[in-house]
Amino acid sequence: MAKLSLPPSSLQSLLSALLSNTVLTSSTELSTPLHLNTVYHLKTTAGSFTLKLPPSPSARILRYERHLFPAEHMVTSFLSSQGILPAHPSNGTYIYDPSHELINTSFILKPYLEGQALSTPTKEALAWLKKLNSLTSPTGGYGFFQDATHSTYQSFFLSLFESVLLDGEELLVLLPYEQIRGELAQWKWCLEVEHQTEKEGCFVVFDLALDEILVDGDGKVKGLAGGWERGCWGTWELQNALRGEALSKEYFGENWTGDLGHVGRARLLLHDLLAATCRIVTLFYRQAAMSDEEMSHRKKLVGILQQLSELRSTK
């Protein structure tokens, strides 16, 4: 995967320009599986920092990812104003620079977030997530944070799904495109607003994994390891489909599917279908296809399509 990189001398020059008399003592490039941002942990005489760079201009990225990097700053500023995250430090150690003047790319420099990856759901983490998800779109619109221009959730969902399908077709990813689009055409009516629990967008982090949540020794949530650029205004089904069954049971309760009824079941299956399709296509774009993970998602996709077909026959 093509990623931007900076040698230690360039990292030191950048720090010197931003934080006077600061000396770089070590730099480590952090692993960002399936994400194309370059992330450095910088240890300096002024403390530890995270330097985040956008994907390389030559990197293959999905359509929905093309304008995500600037959203990191917008989302963290918004969440700080809502008391979800601490305010940006007033000492100038949080810097978003899109100018390309200091280095030939945009970047974010911020204090390094210490913490351990969450391995199992905790009450503290779930309370934090529920507070996060209680935030509603200031404009009433749906979509990714920097472009929440969809007036309905149905419009956002179908647009996002179609963009992922187009990405797959562009890279010749083998998928049952006609069947997927056929099921979307058959079931899109159940995404209309009268079938939603929420009547306005709630804050969701698209493709959030449990181990992206960082906690301290007391279990208090510190933030997200992968950052916030995938923040969007959606519905609980979107966050549910992309969090996995274990977290869903803890978040909503053991019987989290409950008595969803015909429409509710169809909505969940459509979101599961998006999750499986998006992950398969992403693996190809990250040159990580032909793996056990890909095979697992393909099996899920086949099963979901079968369930949607069976559900339609029982209407």
Side-chain angles (χ1 to χ4, degrees):
M1 295 189 295
K3 282 192 172 187
L4 296 176
S5 63
L6 294 174
S9 58
S10 296
L11 294 172
Q12 177 60 69
S13 297
L14 179 62
L15 286 171
S16 297
L18 298 172
L19 306 170
S20 59
N21 301 318
T22 297
V23 177
L24 178 69
T25 57
S26 70
S27 63
T28 305
E29 184 175 344
L30 303 179
S31 173
T32 54
L34 299 188
H35 294 178
L36 288 179
N37 296 317
T38 301
V39 182
Y40 289 104
H41 177 197
L42 306 180
K43 293 184 178 180
T44 79
T45 53
S48 290
F49 299 92
T50 295
L51 176 67
K52 189 172 184 179
L53 309 178
S56 164
S58 63
R60 280 186 176 272
I61 58 177
L62 280 71
R63 283 168 169 79
Y64 83 85
E65 297 177 312
R66 290 176 182 172
H67 305 291
L68 289 185
F69 188 77
E72 173 91 9
H73 173 65
M74 298 167 62
V75 173
T76 55
S77 296
F78 172 75
L79 294 179
S80 295
S81 73
Q82 301 299 308
I84 303 292
L85 294 178
H88 290 161
S90 58
N91 60 359
T93 56
Y94 181 99
I95 300 167
Y96 167 59
D97 188 343
S99 70
H100 291 219
E101 292 178 357
L102 294 176
I103 54 177
N104 193 30
T105 186
S106 304
F107 68 86
I108 294 173
L109 182 73
K110 57 186 178 180
Y112 181 72
L113 191 62
E114 300 281 356
Q116 297 178 328
L118 195 64
S119 56
T120 57
T122 63
K123 289 182 179 179
E124 293 84 355
L126 293 176
W128 181 81
L129 280 173
K130 288 182 178 181
K131 185 177 180 181
L132 187 70
N133 302 148
S134 70
L135 301 175
T136 54
S137 172
T139 65
Y142 298 86
F144 284 98
F145 196 90
Q146 76 283 10
D147 188 32
T149 56
H150 295 273
S151 60
T152 67
Y153 181 63
Q154 182 194 63
S155 171
F156 171 45
F157 181 89
L158 294 176
S159 174
L160 174 59
F161 210 144
E162 180 61 20
S163 77
V164 173
L165 292 173
L166 290 172
D167 287 324
E169 289 174 326
E170 192 172 280
L171 206 61
L172 303 180
V173 179
L174 185 62
L175 285 170
Y177 295 100
E178 184 176 350
Q179 188 178 3
I180 291 172
R181 288 190 172 104
E183 293 297 345
L184 286 172
Q186 289 284 342
W187 289 106
K188 66 181 181 180
W189 61 270
C190 72
L191 295 168
E192 294 171 357
V193 68
E194 58 262 33
H195 302 300
Q196 289 177 199
T197 304
E198 304 92 347
K199 303 307 178 187
E200 54 187 342
C202 67
F203 187 82
V204 179
V205 179
F206 186 65
D207 206 17
L208 175 65
L210 185 64
D211 59 6
E212 285 189 74
I213 301 172
L214 296 179
V215 296
D216 63 17
D218 296 323
K220 183 179 179 181
V221 176
K222 306 293 290 183
L224 299 183
W228 294 93
E229 63 187 29
R230 284 172 164 73
C232 62
W233 301 108
T235 69
W236 72 268
E237 294 109 331
L238 184 61
Q239 66 190 27
N240 171 60
L242 298 177
R243 282 185 182 156
E245 186 172 348
L247 185 53
S248 297
K249 286 181 178 179
E250 292 291 336
Y251 187 92
F252 296 105
E254 186 66 28
N255 298 317
W256 60 277
T257 53
D259 185 16
L260 292 171
H262 200 82
V263 173
R265 182 62 182 156
R267 285 177 66 102
L268 277 185
L269 287 170
L270 287 179
H271 287 79
D272 289 342
L273 186 62
L274 170 62
T277 305
C278 187
R279 286 170 179 171
I280 292 167
V281 173
T282 299
L283 286 168
F284 273 83
Y285 270 72
R286 304 300 190 259
Q287 299 176 3
M290 304 305 293
S291 63
D292 290 343
E293 184 179 359
E294 182 204 344
M295 294 302 106
S296 173
H297 292 311
R298 286 192 177 278
K299 288 179 182 178
K300 289 179 183 177
L301 186 143
V302 171
I304 294 163
L305 289 171
Q306 180 63 33
Q307 290 178 71
L308 283 168
S309 177
E310 292 171 354
L311 192 62
R312 190 168 63 252
S313 67
T314 62
K315 282 200 296 184

